[in-house]
Amino acid sequence: MELEQIIKENISQAFQNLYNLTVGPGSILLQPTRKEFAGTFTFVTFPYTKSIGKTPDIIGVELGKYLKENTTEVYNYNVVKGFLNLEIDDAIWAGVFRQLATDADFGYAKDKKSKVVVEYSSPNTNKPLHLGHLRNNFLGYSVAEILKANGHEVVKVNLVNDRGIHICKSMLAYQMYGQGETPQSSGIKGDHLAGKYYVLFDKAYKSEIDELVSSGMEAEAAKKEAPLMRHAQEMLQKWEQGDEEVMQLWQQMNGWVYEGFAETYQNIGVDFDKFYYESQTYLLGKSSVDEGLAKGVFFKKENGSVWVDLTAEGLDEKLVLRADGTSVYITQDLGTAELKYQDFGYDSSIYVIADEQNYHMQVLQAILKKLEKPYAHGIYHLSYGMVDLPSGKMKSREGTVVDADELVAEMVETARKQTDELGKIEGFTAAEAQQLYHVLAMGALKYFLLKVDPKKRMLFNPEESISFIGNTGPFIQYTHARIAAILRKAAELNIPTDATAYAEAVTFHETEREVITQLAAFPNVVQEAANLYAPSVVGQYAYELAKAYNRFYTEVSIFQETNTAVLSFRVTLSKMVAQTIKRSMLLLGIEVPERM
């Protein structure tokens, strides 16, 4: 049983014995003692004054005295205005450290839990990945890894949006302006080449709208009647009919895009167990529409379009199939949800999708419930806020997005400049230095995007993210590299790493207690992050652990220590911190360097 739980049970017993008052351990809240007071855990006595009939200070003193005299864990106590600060005996801390240092799977759940599908990335094949996609990819990958650490069986899937009107826009523009250009002939990465023609379409389309409006047509009508849009709609219908020429162009351009995506995914360090393609799932979605019509869940309008009435669910009427028989997004999502369940029989399915799609996801779950699908209640929308830049919101149609590949390259270059200026690559080969720059760049980028609660909209600042000072990825990475250097020196000096070195009664330095406290919290942190689907919980923990270790490193001597047992303990403590930082950062998809 972990120390915090033991203390709660001790306090519960104290209430029973002192006041004949039943206070369950589960209702007892402990918080970390503030730095200016002695202690590890603080218990607030104010809520119990009425039931006990004594002042908060008196209750604190009586509880503290009882715990000191009747438990082995509490060494001393102090009371500050109703706040009972508990000091834990150092022999207990030694036992806590021995326990966690000898657990090979420390922090990870031992028991197997449910089966979870995490769907993330979900790119469109008409453009490259951008900054918003990076937050999506990093969030999805990290949540999957955190769930795995909690004992869940996790499947990572990527639903590629490879069909639809937006894809036809890129195809049509390429047909009109491409002149046979290829990634090879142009030297442009495949996904970037498709994105180039998506932007060209939008510019030409807007010119047509302006011409129609200037000739007297209403703006909304002009958007529908513009020749380019009508051609794109015709191309979509030809695609659904399997037109040979359209299909050949579609396969060629998508092939270019997939090669580009694969390169980006490898570069940013995310992966998938299975890819789904909307071109293969939308027909299954049409089967769901037929099923809904047969069950009376859906209804047809006079023009032949199919709808669902969700007003009873607090939503509205929703189109599920167009009058011309073509699919809409929700049709495809119905099909994909069914296919994922057929493939994996999941207990829950997490969709990592921006908060712009909150309503869409409410509609999807409401329809699946009306269709009485067994997996409807297991759907969870991990909604995240958009990423803004100092220059404002990104718009892919206008070509003002922050391209993911370009951003990563810029981050690597920034990491190179900062690392070189700080002189942290002495003795590195050119290849080793380049690898370090990439590790630092990705650590900076991932940590900055993941340290914020997923639901919050955020402002990305590249310069701030790459700093070696403050709450950043490089600060935590540098702490790990510092410890790795200490461990190399310890190995050279043949200092053993022995978790039992402090088996006898000892006196810890306060920074050592703080580090052990931080280490002991790791399993709860991993569990909380999984419960909340929030990598930010792990990120904050890694930062606090790195800060605690750096205080220890500054205030306590390691290699000048003459007591061999103490020396061995401090090296072992350092080793445990390095392992836990590494585990924490890997849960965020971040590598930590051994040298800097």
Side-chain angles (χ1 to χ4, degrees):
M1 188 186 300
E2 65 176 63
L3 180 58
E4 185 172 337
Q5 184 61 29
I6 292 172
I7 300 298
K8 288 180 178 180
E9 295 197 357
N10 288 340
I11 294 173
S12 175
Q13 192 63 49
F15 271 116
Q16 190 67 50
N17 292 347
L18 287 174
Y19 311 116
N20 196 29
L21 182 66
T22 301
V23 180
S27 63
I28 291 172
L29 300 176
L30 297 177
Q31 56 194 46
T33 302
R34 289 168 58 180
K35 295 288 186 292
E36 58 264 38
F37 303 114
T40 299
F41 300 113
T42 295
F43 177 66
V44 181
T45 60
F46 291 96
Y48 305 97
T49 54
K50 189 174 181 180
S51 54
I52 293 174
K54 296 183 178 182
T55 67
D57 282 4
I58 291 175
I59 295 172
V61 170
E62 290 177 348
L63 285 173
K65 187 171 182 289
Y66 176 92
L67 293 168
K68 181 179 178 179
E69 293 175 353
N70 293 278
T71 72
T72 57
E73 289 79 22
V74 177
Y75 160 72
N76 208 347
Y77 70 93
N78 61 86
V79 178
V80 183
K81 297 180 180 178
F83 291 85
L84 170 60
N85 302 317
L86 301 173
E87 298 176 54
I88 307 303
D89 190 276
D90 278 341
I92 300 299
W93 283 125
V96 168
F97 182 69
R98 282 197 303 275
Q99 185 178 4
L100 60 89
T102 52
D103 182 355
D105 297 316
F106 174 62
Y108 295 167
K110 308 288 191 293
D111 54 327
K112 290 295 178 186
K113 298 187 178 74
S114 62
K115 189 162 194 175
V116 185
V117 173
V118 182
E119 179 186 309
Y120 63 99
S121 196
S122 306
N124 298 325
T125 59
N126 63 323
K127 56 191 175 185
L129 303 180
H130 57 60
L131 176 55
H133 286 119
L134 289 180
R135 190 179 196 189
N136 181 304
N137 277 281
F138 299 156
L139 186 56
Y141 180 90
S142 180
V143 165
E145 294 303 305
I146 289 167
L147 289 171
K148 283 182 191 176
N150 269 274
H152 295 281
E153 183 183 351
V154 179
V155 181
K156 295 183 278 189
V157 306
N158 186 348
L159 173 63
V160 180
N161 187 348
D162 65 340
R163 64 165 297 281
I165 190 67
H166 49 297
I167 310 298
C168 290
K169 289 176 182 177
S170 295
M171 291 164 57
L172 183 61
Y174 179 80
Q175 222 175 33
M176 295 172 67
Y177 314 119
Q179 297 180 327
E181 184 177 35
T182 68
Q184 291 73 29
S185 69
S186 63
I188 300 175
K189 193 163 164 273
D191 48 337
H192 289 254
L193 190 61
K196 168 186 170 181
Y197 287 99
Y198 185 59
V199 173
L200 282 175
F201 175 93
D202 194 64
K203 288 179 179 176
Y205 173 51
K206 282 182 176 174
S207 295
E208 289 185 349
I209 292 171
D210 290 342
E211 285 180 25
L212 291 171
V213 169
S214 63
S215 66
M217 186 179 288
E218 292 289 331
E220 286 305 310
K223 289 177 184 177
K224 294 177 183 177
E225 296 301 323
L228 275 173
M229 180 56 73
R230 293 174 73 91
H231 287 323
Q233 292 282 5
E234 288 169 9
M235 181 176 275
L236 177 60
Q237 290 186 18
K238 284 183 178 180
W239 183 92
E240 293 209 2
Q241 293 161 6
D243 180 89
E244 187 176 343
E245 183 183 353
V246 170
M247 295 300 289
Q248 187 176 0
L249 177 61
W250 174 74
Q251 289 167 354
Q252 180 187 44
M253 292 186 71
N254 275 355
W256 296 339
V257 172
Y258 296 145
E259 287 180 7
F261 284 168
E263 186 180 326
T264 302
Y265 288 140
Q266 183 176 14
N267 200 32
I268 65 175
V270 301
D271 58 12
F272 306 92
D273 299 306
K274 187 175 180 66
F275 284 84
Y276 288 99
Y277 300 90
E278 290 194 357
S279 58
Q280 298 168 3
T281 63
Y282 84 103
L283 290 176
L284 189 56
K286 287 186 176 182
S287 298
S288 295
V289 172
D290 293 337
E291 178 188 344
L293 284 168
K295 286 183 175 179
V297 173
F298 301 155
F299 65 92
K300 272 190 179 181
K301 291 194 173 181
E302 289 182 3
N303 65 357
S305 60
V306 181
W307 296 70
V308 60
D309 185 356
L310 299 174
T311 51
E313 286 75 14
L315 304 168
D316 56 12
E317 290 187 352
K318 178 69 180 176
L319 174 71
V320 294
L321 200 67
R322 294 190 187 96
D324 62 6
T326 56
S327 303
V328 291
Y329 279 124
I330 203 73
T331 328
Q332 295 156 186
D333 287 342
L334 290 170
T336 307
E338 178 70 27
L339 190 56
K340 285 195 295 186
Y341 188 71
Q342 289 175 9
D343 286 346
F344 302 111
Y346 54 77
D347 298 294
S348 59
S349 180
I350 299 169
Y351 291 73
V352 184
I353 303 176
D355 56 13
E356 291 179 330
Q357 298 297 324
N358 285 354
Y359 180 79
H360 177 85
M361 290 303 299
Q362 289 174 338
V363 169
L364 175 63
Q365 189 164 35
I367 293 175
L368 291 172
K369 285 178 180 178
K370 288 178 85 73
L371 291 172
E372 299 178 328
K373 295 295 182 180
Y375 47 85
H377 292 276
I379 285 178
Y380 179 82
H381 176 202
L382 178 48
S383 173
Y384 65 91
M386 302 299 283
V387 184
D388 294 319
L389 292 157
S391 57
K393 191 176 179 181
M394 300 181 294
K395 296 179 182 177
S396 56
R397 283 188 298 272
E398 296 172 12
T400 60
V401 299
V402 176
D403 177 75
D405 295 322
E406 290 176 9
L407 177 59
V408 169
E410 287 173 14
M411 293 292 289
V412 170
E413 177 59 19
T414 305
R416 183 193 66 75
K417 287 179 181 175
Q418 292 225 19
T419 308
D420 290 357
E421 286 172 9
L422 294 169
K424 296 184 184 296
I425 56 164
E426 293 177 15
F428 278 62
T429 66
E432 288 170 340
Q434 192 59 38
Q435 174 63 16
L436 177 63
Y437 304 147
H438 187 266
V439 166
L440 291 174
M442 293 312 303
L445 186 56
K446 290 184 181 183
Y447 188 82
F448 199 95
L449 294 178
L450 290 175
K451 73 177 181 179
V452 179
D453 183 281
K455 294 179 177 60
K456 291 182 179 177
R457 190 168 189 140
M458 66 178 296
L459 185 71
F460 176 66
N461 186 324
E463 290 76 21
E464 183 185 332
S465 73
I466 203 78
S467 173
F468 286 89
I469 301 169
N471 190 4
T472 67
F475 168 74
I476 300 168
Q477 289 173 312
Y478 180 63
T479 301
H480 180 273
R482 164 179 276 174
I483 300 173
I486 290 168
L487 297 177
R488 285 193 296 273
K489 182 175 179 180
E492 291 170 6
L493 297 173
N494 293 317
I495 299 169
T497 52
D498 184 4
T500 63
Y502 266 21
E504 304 303 321
V506 292
T507 301
F508 283 121
H509 188 276
E510 63 174 295
T511 59
E512 293 172 326
R513 292 191 203 99
E514 185 182 1
V515 171
I516 297 172
T517 305
Q518 286 287 344
L519 287 171
F522 183 54
N524 284 343
V525 165
V526 177
Q527 187 175 355
E528 182 186 357
N531 293 341
L532 299 174
Y533 304 122
S536 54
V537 173
V538 176
Q540 186 62 31
Y541 169 80
Y543 174 58
E544 294 297 337
L545 178 58
K547 275 203 305 183
Y549 182 83
N550 280 301
R551 278 194 292 270
F552 157 75
Y553 178 82
T554 302
E555 297 182 28
V556 176
S557 168
I558 296 179
F559 293 111
Q560 291 179 1
E561 176 59 55
T562 56
N563 183 316
T564 55
V566 175
L567 175 59
S568 177
F569 163 75
R570 288 177 180 165
V571 171
T572 308
L573 180 68
S574 300
K575 180 181 178 182
M576 194 65 201
V577 171
Q579 288 177 351
T580 307
I581 284 177
K582 186 172 186 175
R583 286 185 176 182
S584 300
M585 296 295 267
L586 284 176
L587 291 178
L588 303 179
I590 297 173
E591 294 180 54
V592 286
E594 295 294 319
R595 290 194 302 144
M596 277 177 71

